Every structure is written in C-alpha cells, then in structure tokens.
Amino acid sequence: METDSAILHDFSPLFRQYKSGRVERFSGTTTVFPSPLDPTTGVSSKLAVIDPFTPVSACLYLPPNPPSNSKLPVLLYFHGGAFCIESAFSQTYHPHLTSLASRALLLIVSVDYRLAPEHPLPAAYDDCWSAVKWVFSRADPCLARFGDLRQVFLAGDSAGANIAHRMAVRAGLEGLGFAGIALVHPYFWGSEAVGSEGREESWRAWMDGLWRAVSGGGKGMDDAWINPAAEGEEAVARLGCRRVLVCVAERDPMRERGRAYWEMLKGSGWRGEVEIVETEGEGHVFHLEKTEGDGKVRELMDDLVRFFTKDREKGWEGDRLPDDCA
C-alpha cells in the first residue's frame, strides 16, 4: 500500500504517476460513445479497430448522406493532451470534430493512440503511423466507399499537431504524400528560448520534466521529436504534403515555436504552400475550452474549413446514413 501511494511524477493538472506504475489522470477522461446521429450536425460517428493487438482504434465521423457519385476528402486527426491525457472518444473533441466534419464535408478518422507515461514515445508515433497505413489500405467499409485517398489531410492540436508533423516527415521519407497538414497550437519546444518576449521562461522547468516523462527519459529538449529545428531545414524540405496551415494563439507559451516552425518551413526550400493564422488574446487550445458560439472559436474554425475546402466544390443534401456505415 505504501508503494502504491508513493509518487514518482506529479504533473498536475495532467496526471500523477506512482512508483507502483499506477497512473492517475485528472483531465480528458470523460468520453462520448460514437452515435449514428449527432442531433446538432447530423454527423454519424462509429468505432473502428485499427490494430486489435496493440491496441489502436479510431472514431470515424461521416457527414450526413454522403454523395453517391463522388468521394470525400479524408482527415486523419490526432488529439492533443501532451501525449498523456485525452482520447479520440473524449468529450473535449467530439463537438469540435462533428462540427468540422459537417462544415468542411470531411470523412474524419480521429486516432486513439496509446498514452504516456505507461506507453512513452515513440508509442504514439508508431500507433498513428499504423493508422496512416490503415487508412490507405481501405480496410474500413466507410473509407472504402466514401474516402478519397487522393485527398488525405493530417491535423491535430498541441501534441496532436506534433504528431501530424512527425507523420508528414515520415511520409516524405517513404514517398507518401498528403494534401495538407493543419497544425493547431503545435507542441514544439527547445532548450533555448525563441522570440523576444520571454513567455517561455516560466514554463521551462515544468515542460522539461514533462517531456522527459512522456518520452521515457531518454530524450532532451533539443530532440527532433519536440524541436523540429533540431533536424534542420533539410528534413522539413522533404515534408510529405502540398500545403501547411500553422495556427498560433497570442497568449500561448508555444506561440513563438509555431511561428519559428512557419519561418523555417518558408526558408527550407520546401515547394509547398505554408500559411499562418494567429488568434489575438487567446491561449493554448482555447477553441476546445469554449463553444463555437464564441467569436474567436468561429474564426479559427472558419480558417480550418477554408484550408480543407480550398479549390474543392462541396455540398450535398439528404439525411440518411448508409447501412454499411452504421
């Protein structure tokens, strides 16, 4: 009993790990069951098993009455939570992704990867790459019937944005290409401060300890997993996508890292199109903490919808879910 109560790591308000191995999470534990009909958007959601042995699963979101004569762009979404909290079935993400699926007319695959510290990195990276391969295999009937694999996007917030970047780097190395990636408040860091405002300093010790806990203790703050600049411009120049959207928030301690990433990508020789949008007066992942009725949340959602629908005709009518996707 004494061992079970002895604390190894305390990263409240995220998690506490005990010397016994037990992990107590304080956030991101409330889940929503997939449903054949979201009453607000008409979007259907369902569980999909990607790898039953690891295990890796996903929540699939399908807009109402998909078209019979065309296919939908696919969005692989990676949730945030510092690699240690939240899930693809979290109450935090369900409203955001049903709205995004409905407004941008996307078939969304939200990946439920293993969490640290029980499963330190690269477990999340490995699980998400398994999900990438699973999508392109058309193993799910909804993906096979409705997914346009010529238009596959990656996106994520915070740690999920970090994962999206890592997946695009790996895709570039393996000759795979995505239509685009959207990085919302990306979880990037480093040993030396960037920018001139000193906003990172108060977070530095906590971030260093958290990173070591989720990466198994063997990765420093200048490892490429958390600091893209450590790989140099050559790595991002081979990024496996055509377009990148970087979203930052004025009061986010990681704001300068997102801007530095944008600058690095612009100067790397990468031949794609990169843009950045900044939300004034808001902090890290504010859009998940407020409703879409908030003006700043609507603006960010508008930017995401615009990015995913650029140069694409959209729209259909109807409300019936196909039987093989129920």
Side-chain angles (χ1 to χ4, degrees), residues 45-253:
S45 56
K46 73 163 193 171
L47 168 68
V49 177
I50 294 173
D51 181 346
F53 302 105
T54 302
V56 185
S57 60
C59 187
L60 268 61
Y61 295 88
L62 188 70
N65 202 51
S68 58
N69 58 352
S70 62
K71 296 199 172 188
L72 302 173
V74 176
L75 170 61
L76 267 156
Y77 192 88
F78 310 113
H79 70 80
F83 301 101
C84 59
I85 61 170
E86 299 290 357
S87 78
F89 306 97
S90 167
Q91 175 63 52
T92 304
Y93 288 93
H94 186 76
H96 176 60
L97 294 181
T98 52
S99 178
L100 187 58
S102 174
R103 290 192 55 193
L105 305 182
L106 296 166
L107 197 170
I108 299 179
V109 179
S110 179
V111 182
D112 198 43
Y113 54 85
R114 290 172 292 168
L115 299 178
E118 304 97 316
H119 305 285
L121 294 173
Y125 296 143
D126 293 341
D127 293 352
C128 291
W129 187 252
S130 294
V132 168
K133 293 190 294 184
W134 178 82
V135 163
F136 282 98
S137 75
R138 299 180 184 267
D140 183 86
C142 276
L143 278 168
R145 181 175 175 185
F146 297 110
D148 184 353
L149 299 190
R150 298 168 303 175
Q151 296 186 75
V152 178
F153 293 88
L154 305 177
D157 64 280
S158 193
N162 175 300
I163 293 172
H165 164 73
R166 297 307 313 165
M167 297 302 101
V169 169
R170 183 165 179 176
L173 293 173
E174 300 197 12
L176 184 65
F178 296 104
I181 63 173
L183 310 182
V184 180
H185 310 162
Y187 187 108
F188 297 145
W189 206 256
S191 63
E192 296 185 6
V194 297
S196 58
E197 299 177 25
R199 69 180 69 209
E200 294 182 352
E201 292 310 310
S202 61
W203 289 86
R204 186 161 300 283
W206 194 83
M207 286 290 293
D208 182 75
L210 177 61
W211 173 247
R212 292 183 186 280
V214 302
S215 64
K219 297 290 184 180
M221 298 303 288
D222 285 321
D223 187 87
W225 287 357
I226 194 170
N227 185 1
E231 278 186 308
E233 293 183 350
E234 290 185 4
V236 294
R238 296 192 297 269
L239 209 62
C241 60
R242 297 193 296 270
R243 294 190 290 125
V244 175
L245 173 66
V246 182
C247 303
V248 298
E250 182 184 15
R251 296 181 180 175
D252 183 357

Side-chain angles (χ1 to χ4, degrees), residues 4-82:
D4 191 56
S5 62
I7 297 173
L8 179 63
H9 299 298
D10 191 342
F11 289 103
S12 303
L14 301 179
F15 73 92
R16 182 181 295 140
Q17 185 179 24
Y18 297 87
K19 291 183 178 180
S20 65
R22 180 170 66 93
V23 174
E24 183 181 12
R25 289 184 168 84
F26 305 113
S27 180
T29 58
T30 304
T31 57
V32 176
F33 290 105
S35 168
L37 180 66
D38 176 72
T40 302
T41 62
V43 170
S44 64
S45 56
K46 73 163 193 171
L47 168 68
V49 177
I50 294 173
D51 181 346
F53 302 105
T54 302
V56 185
S57 60
C59 187
L60 268 61
Y61 295 88
L62 188 70
N65 202 51
S68 58
N69 58 352
S70 62
K71 296 199 172 188
L72 302 173
V74 176
L75 170 61
L76 267 156
Y77 192 88
F78 310 113
H79 70 80

